[in-house]
Amino acid sequence: MPDVLVLVDHDGEHVYKSTYELLAAARRLGDPAAVVVGTPGTAGRFKESLARHGATSVYAAESGEAGEFLATPTVDALELAVRDASPAAVLVCATTDGREAAGRLAARLDAGLLIDAVDLDSSGVVTQIVFGGSYTVRSEVTHGTPVLALRPGAVEPEEHPVTAVERTLALPSVDPAASARITARRTGLAGDRPALNEATVVVSGGRGVGGAQGFEVVEELADALGGAVGASRAAVDAGYYPHQFQVGQTGKSVSPQLYIALGISGAIQHLAGMQTSKTIVAVNKDPEAPIFGLADCGVVGDLFAVAPQLTEGVAARRAVR
Amino acid sequence: MNIVVLVKQVPDTGAERTLSQTDHTLDREDADLVLDEINERAAEAALILKETTDAHITVVSMGPDSAREAIRKVLAMGADRGIHICDDRLRGADVLTTAKVLAAAVRTVEDVDLVLAGNTTTDGQASAVPAIVAELLGLPQLTHVRQLTVDAGQVSAERETDNGEATLQAPLPALVSITEKINEPRYPSFKGIMAAKKKPVHTPDLDDLFPDADDSGLLVTRTRVVEAVPRPPRAAGIRITDDGSAGRHLVEYLIARKLV
Ligand SMILES: Cc1cc2nc3c(=O)[nH]c(=O)nc-3n(C[C@H](O)[C@H](O)[C@H](O)COP(=O)(O)OP(=O)(O)OC[C@H]3O[C@@H](n4cnc5c(N)ncnc54)[C@H](O)[C@@H]3O)c2cc1C
């Protein structure tokens, strides 16, 4: 079986769940080979959990400066791994960093690139949902080593214990004239909440939330459900919530199991980022709000009455379990 | 300082978008085309730099004839000249070919210090084009930035993504992609619109941009659509009007669906 490279998404301490999803998808095409880019020692820490999810080899691409420059160390590592393994495909997670690394790698390989896949079959055909959910498109790469970016949450992670061989890749030193240096980093403002594009539940607030303080109601419901908080652009523009949580055409695209829209009218640009969610619940006081046209459960009412009651009920339910 | 701004025309987001039955590319004829909103902000970022430094701004766009309108708009905002790559062979170009054409066009501009682009376009391009252009030009990539400072041959920027925020620094020349939060674009003035009519728009030949392309010609796409199916619109489900107990009904709804 050919190798299938998987770029490991991690924060230095933990492997993100999306990596295990990629490993599960990779097994459909061949033997998953995980590529870890990080400071020395990172791959060693991750090896066991990667092997538990089916990685038959783990490439360690480690250097002191790997985390100090944007994009290029990752692309260098993937390129080296491709040269070494001649894989059937390269899988990355369709996060901002992942898309960019995938694009740059495809340019180096002059290879076909498919981004934002929601599924992948054993013949390498990828499913994408385009135009804000209006088309399902199945595509394949016809030139070069396929570089595929999968949406987090698209594939179920699976345990599949194997023994992993560790291999080393010697990262070239970074050319500071061709790479941007990361001089400071502030982790996501999400705190303990799951990342928007990884969460199984997303609770979003819109202009109807009325202010930054009103977002407490949104956060409390998200926390009761163990979900992430999102916002409409109107809420972001009004300064109620930071931009990185914007859901929609020019924000994040999410497809959680449950999406709850509080005080969001349902403009086409917002729907573009969430209408592939499995279940959609909307609370809006305007019975004519377009969001009701696609909500599986629509509540006509004041979010400040409905959401706290829901939060309370969910918390009570969690407490008895 | 020489600045190049990459812009794209996109279907108006309010309009319905359809895929052509014959080749599964976007039916542009059907859609109202506008200058992409985020690209407009990239142009604004260039114009702000021009206010404080001696800058020359070139607008580059790849696209059908109508893309000239997008270039004209940025010229009307205050850019100095345009480059429009327009060739039927580019219909259905993939992300990589798009980036290659843009990079080749940037190479025709002498002594480029800064390439500016939007971080994403509203028509579902993969947000990877700016990073690929940086790769092809060997420039430092400062992408998804909401704040930008150019000073003494250095660019520093605040990057904002799903992984949090980062401060980036690089020497010029560099490529920067901006998010929609960076600024509010200006409206072209009447004077600007009149002046734009006299500004040069160069239309290089695709074969001149790729003199080394072999006889088989330019590789336009490395992927193939196997199937494209319109998705049925989502149907509305149940509706509850709050009588003081809707929150509790919702709890039951979620329990019944094993969502809590
Ligand atoms: C190019 C472009 C890109 C865009 N990208 C995005 C994007 O990525 N994401 C995005 O979200 N938007 C985007 N938009 C903006 C979009 O068109 C809408 O303006 C925006 O989504 C509206 O946000 P909203 O629903 O919060 O606000 P509104 O449309 O103002 O709706 C607020 C809703 O709250 C309800 N409400 C008020 N008070 C209460 C209450 N107490 N209880 C219950 N309900 C209440 C009202 O009935 C109303 O329906 C984009 C627009 C353009 C042109």
Side-chain angles (χ1 to χ4, degrees):
Chain A
M1 284 243 272
D3 280 345
V4 179
L5 295 183
V6 165
L7 175 64
V8 175
D9 202 4
H10 66 89
D11 64 1
E13 293 301 317
H14 305 98
V15 174
Y16 294 141
K17 185 175 125 221
S18 51
T19 303
Y20 302 136
E21 298 168 5
L22 296 182
L23 289 170
R27 285 203 288 118
R28 299 174 187 171
L29 299 178
D31 292 328
V35 181
V36 179
V37 188
T39 48
T42 312
R45 283 200 297 281
F46 296 164
K47 188 174 159 187
E48 194 205 303
S49 64
L50 294 170
R52 188 154 27 92
H53 290 86
T56 53
S57 45
V58 174
Y59 280 102
E62 301 178 332
S63 84
E65 55 177 22
E68 283 171 33
F69 289 90
L70 186 65
T72 44
T74 304
V75 184
D76 288 342
L78 288 173
E79 188 190 5
L80 288 170
V82 169
R83 307 268 179 237
D84 188 65
S86 309
V90 181
L91 306 189
V92 306
C93 186
T95 56
T96 308
D97 291 347
R99 288 158 197 261
E100 294 188 333
R104 296 186 66 144
L105 177 69
R108 288 195 192 178
L109 305 174
D110 197 26
L113 168 70
L114 291 167
I115 288 188
D116 246 351
V118 295
D119 205 1
L120 167 67
D121 73 15
S122 57
S123 58
V125 173
V126 147
T127 306
Q128 293 159 301
I129 297 173
V130 303
F131 301 148
S134 50
Y135 277 87
T136 302
V137 174
R138 295 183 356 106
S139 310
E140 64 185 0
V141 167
T142 49
H143 194 268
T145 306
V147 182
L148 313 175
L150 265 69
R151 262 202 201 175
V155 174
E156 275 296 306
E158 284 163 30
E159 295 218 354
H160 182 80
V162 293
T163 350
V165 200
E166 195 169 327
R167 298 185 186 149
T168 312
L169 298 171
L171 280 180
S173 60
V174 175
D175 172 4
S179 300
R181 186 183 286 278
I182 301 169
T183 57
R185 242 184 237 282
R186 287 165 300 284
T187 44
L189 303 169
D192 290 339
R193 294 191 189 102
L196 246 188
N197 53 10
E198 293 211 340
T200 48
V201 177
V202 174
V203 184
S204 289
R207 203 198 314 260
V209 171
Q213 230 180 352
F215 256 83
E216 281 171 19
V217 172
V218 183
E219 290 183 332
E220 280 160 12
L221 178 54
D223 290 342
L225 290 161
V229 176
S232 73
R233 184 161 99 171
V236 170
D237 283 351
Y240 303 170
Y241 221 64
H243 178 236
Q244 66 190 83
F245 299 100
Q246 182 174 315
V247 172
Q249 194 151 53
T250 50
K252 303 275 142 54
S253 280
V254 299
S255 35
Q257 295 297 319
L258 173 62
Y259 187 90
I260 303 184
L262 301 174
I264 292 177
S265 61
I268 189 165
Q269 297 89 354
H270 186 79
L271 304 185
M274 46 64 77
Q275 64 179 325
T276 53
S277 305
K278 300 271 169 4
T279 299
I280 297 173
V281 170
V283 181
N284 196 305
K285 63 182 181 190
D286 172 10
E288 304 297 325
I291 189 88
F292 288 131
L294 79 169
D296 298 290
C297 181
V299 175
V300 183
D302 184 346
L303 72 94
F304 291 103
V306 179
Q309 202 174 60
L310 175 57
T311 305
E312 203 179 301
V314 171
R317 162 91 181 164
R318 294 244 151 145
V320 296
R321 277 207 299 177
Chain B
M1 184 157 71
N2 279 320
I3 306 176
V4 176
V5 185
L6 307 178
V7 303
K8 181 174 183 186
Q9 223 185 11
V10 294
D12 196 347
T13 57
E16 194 178 321
R17 287 162 292 172
T18 52
L19 286 175
S20 139
Q21 281 302 319
T22 45
D23 62 357
H24 306 304
T25 56
L26 187 65
D27 249 337
R28 290 182 196 265
E29 290 87 69
D30 280 6
D32 268 346
L33 295 171
V34 293
L35 170 59
D36 187 68
E37 204 203 67
I38 302 176
N39 292 171
E40 230 170 282
R41 296 169 198 257
E44 178 65 33
L47 292 166
I48 291 172
L49 289 170
K50 191 178 168 161
E51 282 165 6
T52 51
T53 55
D54 182 21
H56 185 269
I57 304 174
T58 306
V59 197
V60 171
S61 189
M62 171 187 129
D65 279 336
S66 59
R68 185 172 287 247
E69 293 305 310
I71 294 176
R72 285 278 168 227
K73 178 154 188 199
V74 181
L75 294 176
M77 288 168 75
D80 299 291
R81 67 173 187 124
I83 299 179
H84 179 194
I85 312 98
C86 175
D87 192 306
D88 280 346
R89 284 176 285 171
L90 291 172
R91 192 181 155 88
D94 68 2
V95 182
L96 186 46
T97 294
T98 303
K100 284 190 177 189
V101 169
L102 293 173
V106 174
R107 281 197 200 97
T108 68
V109 181
E110 261 172 59
D111 298 327
V112 173
D113 297 290
L114 188 64
V115 180
L116 275 166
N119 68 328
T120 176
T121 53
T122 46
D123 66 344
Q125 277 263 341
S127 345
V129 169
I132 303 174
V133 172
E135 169 74 37
L136 295 168
L137 295 173
L139 297 179
Q141 162 200 336
L142 299 89
T143 44
H144 302 274
V145 312
R146 59 167 164 74
Q147 202 192 318
L148 170 69
T149 323
V150 179
D151 191 29
Q154 290 281 322
V155 45
S156 46
E158 293 299 322
R159 170 178 170 94
E160 185 187 86
T161 68
D162 2 331
N163 294 337
E165 299 176 358
T167 306
L168 303 177
Q169 185 127 41
L172 294 177
L175 176 140
V176 172
S177 86
I178 55 92
T179 73
E180 61 179 341
K181 284 292 162 282
I182 195 163
N183 57 41
E184 279 304 322
R186 68 193 65 190
Y187 287 104
S189 64
F190 180 68
K191 222 175 106 201
I193 293 168
M194 296 314 287
K197 296 195 167 131
K198 295 193 201 77
K199 290 178 179 171
V201 178
H202 179 54
T203 49
D205 197 81
L206 194 57
D207 297 306
D208 293 340
L209 289 181
F210 296 97
D212 301 333
D214 53 29
D215 294 341
S216 56
L218 186 77
L219 191 55
V220 173
T221 178
R222 294 153 194 80
T223 60
R224 186 176 79 89
V225 173
V226 180
E227 183 185 39
V229 194
R231 286 164 66 86
R234 271 188 101 107
I238 57 167
R239 172 86 69 114
I240 307 170
T241 301
D242 188 27
D243 59 359
S245 64
R248 283 189 289 277
H249 286 306
L250 266 180
V251 180
E252 284 157 25
Y253 175 86
L254 297 182
I255 291 171
R257 273 162 193 71
K258 301 197 167 43
L259 289 164
V260 280

Coordinates of all heavy atoms in Angstrom, one line a residue, chain A residues 206-208 231-235 246-251 263-267 269-270 283-286 289 301-304, chain B residues 13 37 122 180, ligand 1:
Chain A
G206 N -26.2 37.4 16.9 CA -26.2 38.5 15.8 C -26.5 39.8 16.4 O -26.4 40.0 17.6
R207 N -26.9 40.7 15.5 CA -27.2 42.1 16.0 C -28.2 42.1 17.0 O -28.3 43.0 17.9 CB -27.6 42.9 14.8 CG -27.4 44.4 15.0 CD -28.2 45.3 14.0 NE -28.2 44.9 12.6 CZ -27.4 45.4 11.7 NH1 -26.6 46.4 12.0 NH2 -27.4 45.0 10.5
G208 N -29.1 41.1 17.0 CA -30.2 41.1 18.0 C -29.7 40.9 19.4 O -30.5 41.1 20.4
A231 N -20.4 34.5 15.7 CA -21.1 35.8 15.6 C -21.4 36.1 14.1 O -20.7 35.7 13.2 CB -20.2 36.9 16.2
S232 N -22.4 36.9 13.9 CA -22.7 37.4 12.5 C -21.8 38.6 12.3 O -21.2 39.2 13.2 CB -24.2 37.8 12.4 OG -24.4 39.0 13.1
R233 N -21.7 39.0 11.0 CA -20.9 40.1 10.7 C -21.5 41.4 11.3 O -20.7 42.2 11.8 CB -20.7 40.3 9.2 CG -19.8 41.4 8.9 CD -19.2 41.4 7.6 NE -19.9 42.3 6.7 CZ -19.5 42.6 5.4 NH1 -18.4 42.0 5.0 NH2 -20.2 43.4 4.7
A234 N -22.8 41.5 11.3 CA -23.4 42.7 11.9 C -22.9 42.8 13.4 O -22.6 43.9 13.9 CB -24.9 42.7 11.8
A235 N -22.9 41.7 14.1 CA -22.5 41.7 15.5 C -21.0 42.1 15.6 O -20.6 42.8 16.5 CB -22.8 40.4 16.2
Q246 N -16.3 35.4 13.5 CA -17.4 35.6 12.5 C -17.7 34.3 11.6 O -16.8 33.7 11.1 CB -17.0 36.7 11.5 CG -18.1 37.1 10.5 CD -17.7 38.3 9.7 OE1 -17.2 39.3 10.3 NE2 -17.8 38.2 8.4
V247 N -19.0 34.0 11.5 CA -19.4 32.9 10.7 C -20.0 33.5 9.4 O -20.8 34.4 9.5 CB -20.4 32.0 11.5 CG1 -21.0 31.0 10.6 CG2 -19.8 31.4 12.7
G248 N -19.6 32.9 8.3 CA -20.3 33.3 7.1 C -19.3 33.4 5.9 O -18.2 32.9 6.0
Q249 N -19.8 34.0 4.8 CA -19.0 34.0 3.6 C -17.6 34.5 3.8 O -16.6 34.0 3.3 CB -19.7 34.9 2.6 CG -19.2 34.7 1.3 CD -20.4 35.0 0.3 OE1 -21.0 36.1 0.4 NE2 -20.7 34.1 -0.5
T250 N -17.4 35.6 4.6 CA -16.1 36.2 4.8 C -15.6 35.9 6.1 O -14.6 36.5 6.6 CB -16.1 37.7 4.5 OG1 -17.2 38.3 5.3 CG2 -16.4 38.0 3.1
G251 N -16.2 34.9 6.8 CA -15.8 34.5 8.1 C -15.5 33.0 8.0 O -15.1 32.5 7.0
G263 N -30.8 35.8 17.5 CA -30.9 37.2 17.0 C -30.1 37.4 15.7 O -29.5 38.4 15.5
I264 N -30.2 36.4 14.8 CA -29.5 36.5 13.5 C -30.6 36.4 12.5 O -31.4 35.5 12.5 CB -28.5 35.4 13.3 CG1 -27.3 35.6 14.3 CG2 -28.0 35.3 11.9 CD1 -26.2 34.5 14.3
S265 N -30.6 37.3 11.5 CA -31.8 37.4 10.6 C -31.7 36.3 9.5 O -32.7 35.8 9.0 CB -31.8 38.7 9.9 OG -30.6 39.0 9.1
G266 N -30.4 35.9 9.1 CA -30.3 34.8 8.1 C -30.0 35.4 6.8 O -30.5 34.8 5.8
A267 N -29.1 36.4 6.7 CA -28.7 36.9 5.4 C -27.9 35.8 4.6 O -27.3 35.0 5.2 CB -27.8 38.1 5.6
Q269 N -25.2 35.8 3.1 CA -23.8 35.6 3.4 C -23.6 35.0 4.8 O -22.5 34.4 5.0 CB -23.1 37.0 3.4 CG -23.2 37.8 2.1 CD -24.4 38.6 1.9 OE1 -25.3 38.6 2.8 NE2 -24.5 39.4 0.9
H270 N -24.5 35.0 5.7 CA -24.3 34.3 6.9 C -24.6 32.8 6.7 O -23.9 31.9 7.1 CB -25.2 34.9 8.0 CG -25.0 34.2 9.4 ND1 -23.9 34.6 10.1 CD2 -25.6 33.2 10.0 CE1 -23.9 33.8 11.2 NE2 -25.0 33.0 11.2
V283 N -33.5 31.4 17.1 CA -34.4 32.1 18.0 C -34.3 33.6 17.4 O -33.3 34.2 17.4 CB -33.9 32.1 19.4 CG1 -34.9 32.9 20.3 CG2 -33.7 30.7 19.9
N284 N -35.5 34.1 17.1 CA -35.6 35.4 16.5 C -37.0 35.9 16.8 O -38.0 35.2 16.7 CB -35.3 35.3 15.0 CG -35.0 36.7 14.4 OD1 -35.8 37.7 14.6 ND2 -33.9 36.8 13.7
K285 N -37.1 37.2 17.1 CA -38.4 37.7 17.5 C -39.2 38.1 16.3 O -40.4 38.4 16.4 CB -38.3 38.8 18.5 CG -37.6 40.1 18.1 CD -37.6 41.0 19.3 CE -36.9 42.3 18.9 NZ -36.7 43.2 20.1
D286 N -38.6 38.1 15.1 CA -39.3 38.5 13.9 C -39.7 37.2 13.2 O -38.9 36.5 12.6 CB -38.4 39.3 13.0 CG -39.0 39.6 11.6 OD1 -40.2 39.3 11.4 OD2 -38.3 40.1 10.7
A289 N -38.2 36.4 9.8 CA -36.8 36.4 9.5 C -36.4 35.2 8.6 O -36.9 34.1 8.8 CB -36.1 36.2 10.9
G301 N -39.4 34.4 19.3 CA -39.4 34.9 20.7 C -38.2 35.7 21.0 O -37.3 35.9 20.1
D302 N -38.1 36.3 22.2 CA -37.0 37.1 22.6 C -35.8 36.2 23.1 O -36.0 35.4 24.0 CB -37.5 38.0 23.8 CG -36.4 39.0 24.2 OD1 -35.2 38.8 23.8 OD2 -36.7 39.9 24.9
L303 N -34.7 36.4 22.5 CA -33.6 35.5 22.8 C -33.2 35.6 24.3 O -32.7 34.6 24.9 CB -32.4 35.8 21.9 CG -31.5 37.0 22.1 CD1 -30.3 36.8 23.0 CD2 -31.1 37.6 20.8
F304 N -33.4 36.8 24.9 CA -33.1 37.0 26.3 C -34.0 36.2 27.2 O -33.7 36.1 28.4 CB -33.0 38.4 26.6 CG -31.9 39.1 25.9 CD1 -32.1 39.9 24.8 CD2 -30.6 38.9 26.4 CE1 -31.0 40.5 24.2 CE2 -29.5 39.5 25.7 CZ -29.7 40.3 24.6
Chain B
T13 N -22.6 38.9 -4.1 CA -23.0 37.8 -3.2 C -24.4 37.6 -3.0 O -24.9 36.6 -2.6 CB -22.3 38.0 -1.8 OG1 -22.8 39.3 -1.4 CG2 -20.8 38.0 -1.9
E37 N -15.2 42.8 -2.4 CA -15.2 43.8 -1.4 C -13.9 43.8 -0.6 O -13.4 44.8 -0.2 CB -16.4 43.4 -0.4 CG -16.9 44.5 0.4 CD -17.6 44.0 1.6 OE1 -16.9 43.4 2.5 OE2 -18.8 44.1 1.7
T122 N -15.1 36.5 -2.0 CA -16.4 36.1 -1.5 C -17.0 35.0 -2.4 O -18.1 34.6 -2.2 CB -17.3 37.3 -1.4 OG1 -17.2 38.1 -2.6 CG2 -17.0 38.1 -0.2
E180 N -11.1 41.7 6.1 CA -12.1 42.8 5.9 C -12.1 43.8 7.0 O -12.8 44.8 6.9 CB -13.5 42.2 5.6 CG -14.0 41.3 6.8 CD -15.4 40.8 6.5 OE1 -16.1 41.3 5.7 OE2 -15.7 39.8 7.2
Ligands
LIG1 C1 -19.6 40.8 0.7 C2 -20.4 40.5 2.0 C3 -19.9 39.6 2.8 C4 -20.5 39.3 4.0 N1 -20.1 38.3 4.9 C5 -20.8 38.0 6.0 C6 -20.3 37.0 6.9 O1 -19.3 36.4 6.6 N2 -21.1 36.7 7.9 C7 -22.2 37.3 8.2 O2 -22.9 37.0 9.2 N3 -22.6 38.4 7.4 C8 -21.9 38.7 6.3 N4 -22.4 39.7 5.6 C9 -23.5 40.6 6.1 C10 -24.9 40.1 5.9 O3 -25.3 40.6 4.6 C11 -25.8 40.6 7.0 O4 -25.7 42.0 7.0 C12 -25.5 40.1 8.4 O5 -25.3 38.7 8.4 C13 -26.6 40.5 9.3 O6 -26.3 40.1 10.6 P1 -27.4 39.9 11.7 O7 -28.3 38.8 11.2 O8 -26.8 39.7 13.0 O9 -28.2 41.3 11.8 P2 -29.6 41.7 11.3 O10 -29.8 41.4 9.9 O11 -29.8 43.1 11.7 O12 -30.6 40.8 12.1 C14 -30.7 40.9 13.5 C15 -31.9 40.0 13.9 O13 -32.0 39.9 15.3 C16 -33.4 39.8 15.6 N5 -33.6 40.3 16.9 C17 -33.4 41.5 17.4 N6 -33.6 41.6 18.8 C18 -33.9 40.3 19.1 C19 -34.2 39.7 20.4 N7 -34.1 40.4 21.5 N8 -34.5 38.4 20.4 C20 -34.5 37.7 19.2 N9 -34.2 38.2 18.0 C21 -33.9 39.5 18.0 C22 -34.1 40.7 14.5 O14 -35.4 40.3 14.4 C23 -33.2 40.4 13.3 O15 -33.8 39.4 12.5 C24 -21.7 40.0 4.4 C25 -22.2 41.0 3.5 C26 -21.5 41.3 2.3 C27 -22.1 42.3 1.4

